[in-house]
């Protein structure tokens, strides 16, 4: 199974869904004062806003839809540039591209999140926003991102799709920027199969996002809409059945995250100090979601050997999140004159070629996390995984031919080209 929430689907989700079915109200709208209307989507929005710490939240049909609502709600127009990381899920790019925006890719750093220093280099007179992605549950360096945004008068939209439940310096992810999008698909910290959430920092953003998600209507379709629709919308609505599952999952989120942190701490302890490896940088050790444990090797051949031995892949070889593996995005970037294709972001290429994602809560070969543990792993299973990992690391070294000067030179070259 993919994400931690999916392992914990149980009687709570069943109860919420059955209440909806018994009521017969499957559409998100109804009379909030009618006791027969179980209003799960409405409750989800209220509870999620309170949880994240923003004045408003909006439920959507997907994370992709949530991001599109954000980008439109803050007023971005075709041709506006949005700075995004070169390592992220395709939807970060496609949400922008479908709105005629120009995604400008920036390098990542050893946190596997966007590198704020590289963001600054990519600002042009057309830049309107930064969309930092809290990749694999690791909060971005929001201190630097927000400082940069203030300095250059840019909007910040957090792509928090992989990071519901995480925090940065005591504030929940999704509450730091102007708006944020979350996903409830099956690979995320909590899930309803599919679904999404928007967090909004102002009433104006919320109203506009609401309109985008529901054919231009005012929030909750209150009042008379004809003559009052200020925005052309689409349909990204969530159904009551999805809302019911999401509500039950939201009520488990803190327990899910704390369990992941506990399991990850154990695994990390058992595989620290392996020669030639370190862990990726965490921008907030206490706040990260702990869905994965990313190991960075000094040498890409060592990483590839270990991955092979464990039946998994280095991150650059995985399919889902690597800009260089997105032929469908390449075509769009080509059209709008943005750098694309392997080699366009050499520091990202270098880091990802030396990285292996070990699963802790998200088990997903698509992001190179076919090996590791799950949210339900016992201490014995964690010890077993650690033992196999250490053995693979030692084996890959023993097999030799790993630390060749050629690779080291290539990496140095990539790094100097950037500076
Ligand atoms: C999952 C994800 C999305 C999109 O979410 P969906 O619910 O699948 O549409 C967007 N951005 C990132 C970084 C994601 O991981």
């Amino acid at each position: 199974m993919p994400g931690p929430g999916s392992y914990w689907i149980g009687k709570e989700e069943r109860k919420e869904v059955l209440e909806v079915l018994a009521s017969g109200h499957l559409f998100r709208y109804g009379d909030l004062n009618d006791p027969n209307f179980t209003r799960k989507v409405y409750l989800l929005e209220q509870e999620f806003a309170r949880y994240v710490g923003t004045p408003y939240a909006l439920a959507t049909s997907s994370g992709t839809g949530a991001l599109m609502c954000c980008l439109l709600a803050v007023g971005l127009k075709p041709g506006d540039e949005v700075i995004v990381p070169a390592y992220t899920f395709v939807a970060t790019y496609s949400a922008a591209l479908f709105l005629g925006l120009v995604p400008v890719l920036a390098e990542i750093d050893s946190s596997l999140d966007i590198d704020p220093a590289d963001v600054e280099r990519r600002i042009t007179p057309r830049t309107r926003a930064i969309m930092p992605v809290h990749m694999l549950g690791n909060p971005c360096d929001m201190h630097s991102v927000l400082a940069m945004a203030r300095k250059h008068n840019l909007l910040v939209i957090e792509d928090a799709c992989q990071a519901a439940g995480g925090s940065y310096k005591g504030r929940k992810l999704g509450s730091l920027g102007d708006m944020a999008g979350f996903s409830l698909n099956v690979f995320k910290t909590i899930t309803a199969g599919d679904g999404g959430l928007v967090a909004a920092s102002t009433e104006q953003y919320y109203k506009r996002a609401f309109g985008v998600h529901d054919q231009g209507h005012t929030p909750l379709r209150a009042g008379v809409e004809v003559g009052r629709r200020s925005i052309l919308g689409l349909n990204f609505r969530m159904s009551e059945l999805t809302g019911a599952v999401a509500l039950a999952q939201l009520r488990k989120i803190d327990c899910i995250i704390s369990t992941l942190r506990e399991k990850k701490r154990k695994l990390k302890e058992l595989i620290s100090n392996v020669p030639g490896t370190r862990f990726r940088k965490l921008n907030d050790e206490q706040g990260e979601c702990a869905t994965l444990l990313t190991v960075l090797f000094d040498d890409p051949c060592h990483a590839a050997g270990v991955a092979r031995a464990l039946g998994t892949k280095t991150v650059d070889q995985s399919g889902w999140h690597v800009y260089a593996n997105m032929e469908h995005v390449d075509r769009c970037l080509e059209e709008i004159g943005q750098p694309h294709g392997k080699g366009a972001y050499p520091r990202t290429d270098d880091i990802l070629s030396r990285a292996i994602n070990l699963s802790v809560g998200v088990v997903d070969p698509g992001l190179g996390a076919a090996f590791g543990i799950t949210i339900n792993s016992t201490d014995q299973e964690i010890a077993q995984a650690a033992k196999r990992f250490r053995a693979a690391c030692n084996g890959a070294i023993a097999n030799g031919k790993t630390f060749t000067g050629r690779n080291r030179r290539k990496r140095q070259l990539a790094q100097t080209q950037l500076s």
Side-chain angles (χ1 to χ4, degrees):
M1 265 185 294
S6 68
Y7 286 79
W8 283 14
I9 299 279
K11 59 180 189 308
E12 300 79 10
E13 286 77 4
R14 205 148 48 232
K15 176 177 163 286
E16 298 291 332
V17 170
L18 290 176
E19 273 179 32
V20 172
L21 286 174
S23 79
H25 285 74
L26 272 56
F27 192 39
R28 71 154 293 168
Y29 298 109
D31 178 0
L32 293 177
N33 297 316
D34 175 1
N36 196 36
F37 173 46
T38 50
R39 57 193 190 138
K40 302 297 181 190
V41 174
Y42 175 80
L43 288 174
L44 173 69
E45 291 171 343
Q46 304 296 306
E47 288 190 24
F48 191 71
R50 214 173 315 131
Y51 179 77
V52 172
T54 50
Y56 302 94
L58 170 72
T60 59
S61 50
S62 71
T64 309
L67 293 177
M68 289 177 83
C69 288
C70 293
L71 293 168
L72 283 168
V74 298
L76 296 182
K77 297 279 185 306
D80 287 348
E81 293 180 0
V82 183
I83 301 180
V84 294
Y87 178 52
T88 183
F89 182 57
V90 63
T92 312
Y93 306 139
S94 54
L97 286 163
F98 265 85
L99 301 177
L101 308 176
V102 177
V104 172
L105 277 58
E107 299 272 14
I108 59 165
D109 61 24
S110 64
S111 66
L112 270 64
D113 286 333
I114 199 164
D115 173 7
D118 198 51
V119 169
E120 187 145 44
R121 285 184 211 116
R122 298 188 190 262
I123 293 173
T124 77
R126 288 173 303 281
T127 310
R128 291 284 318 280
I130 310 172
M131 187 147 62
V133 184
H134 306 299
M135 274 306 282
L136 316 176
N138 184 13
C140 289
D141 173 1
M142 290 305 287
H143 177 78
S144 303
V145 169
L146 293 171
M148 195 97 56
R150 264 194 305 276
K151 183 172 155 198
H152 297 276
N153 195 23
L154 304 174
L155 293 154
V156 175
I157 292 149
E158 297 174 72
D159 182 338
C161 285
Q162 300 189 1
S167 60
Y168 179 78
K169 309 236 153 109
R171 286 173 64 185
K172 281 272 156 27
L173 299 180
S175 69
L176 294 124
D178 296 286
M179 292 191 84
F182 296 83
S183 168
L184 298 170
N185 90 21
V186 76
F187 296 99
K188 315 300 178 168
T189 53
I190 57 170
T191 184
D194 258 319
L197 285 153
V198 167
S201 64
T202 70
E203 185 182 12
Q204 194 207 357
Y205 291 155
Y206 166 67
K207 278 185 170 164
R208 289 177 58 92
F210 198 100
V212 171
H213 116 293
D214 184 25
Q215 313 291 7
H217 286 293
T218 45
L220 308 179
R221 291 191 177 178
V224 182
E225 283 83 31
V226 174
R228 288 184 50 199
R229 288 161 295 200
S230 60
I231 194 168
L232 188 66
L234 288 159
N235 175 2
F236 295 120
R237 292 187 305 264
M238 180 183 280
S239 94
E240 284 291 287
L241 291 169
T242 299
V245 178
L247 194 58
Q249 286 264 300
L250 177 59
R251 290 168 181 165
K252 295 178 180 179
I253 192 168
D254 281 335
C255 194
I256 287 173
I257 299 286
S258 62
T259 303
L260 292 175
R261 286 176 182 158
E262 177 69 13
K263 308 259 169 180
K264 178 170 174 174
R265 190 185 55 73
K266 288 177 179 166
L267 179 62
K268 202 168 175 175
E269 238 168 58
L270 292 170
I271 62 169
S272 57
N273 305 319
V274 173
T277 75
R278 76 197 99 155
F279 300 114
R280 74 164 162 167
K281 183 178 88 183
L282 295 174
N283 295 309
D284 186 326
E285 195 106 23
Q286 276 80 50
E288 72 131 356
C289 298
T291 38
L292 292 136
L293 175 54
T294 305
V295 183
L296 289 177
F297 291 75
D298 293 341
D299 185 276
C301 294
H302 189 195
V306 171
R308 223 174 4 255
L310 295 173
T312 183
K313 289 174 173 173
T314 51
V315 177
D316 68 325
Q317 297 298 314
S318 68
W320 285 94
H321 294 76
V322 185
Y323 80 92
N325 301 344
M326 296 183 192
E327 65 291 346
H328 42 353
V329 174
D330 280 350
R331 279 193 288 275
C332 303
L333 293 178
E334 165 105 46
E335 262 173 43
I336 54 178
Q338 288 296 314
H340 58 89
K342 198 165 175 72
Y345 304 91
R347 195 141 43 93
T348 300
D349 292 340
D350 169 56
I351 291 166
L352 298 183
S353 73
R354 294 185 290 111
I356 294 181
N357 287 326
L358 303 180
S359 66
V360 176
V362 175
V363 186
D364 178 11
L367 53 79
F371 177 84
I373 60 172
T374 77
I375 191 171
N376 291 335
S377 289
T378 61
D379 284 358
Q380 201 184 357
E381 286 161 347
I382 295 172
Q384 190 60 32
K387 204 169 135 197
R388 277 189 64 197
F389 179 77
R390 296 190 81 101
C393 290
N394 296 333
I397 291 174
N399 288 340
K401 290 192 234 110
T402 53
F403 301 103
T404 65
R406 199 177 130 260
N407 280 303
R408 192 160 300 154
R409 268 202 307 282
K410 243 168 68 185
R411 208 165 58 247
Q412 277 163 356
L413 193 69
Q415 270 154 7
T416 43
Q417 274 168 348
L418 252 148
S419 51

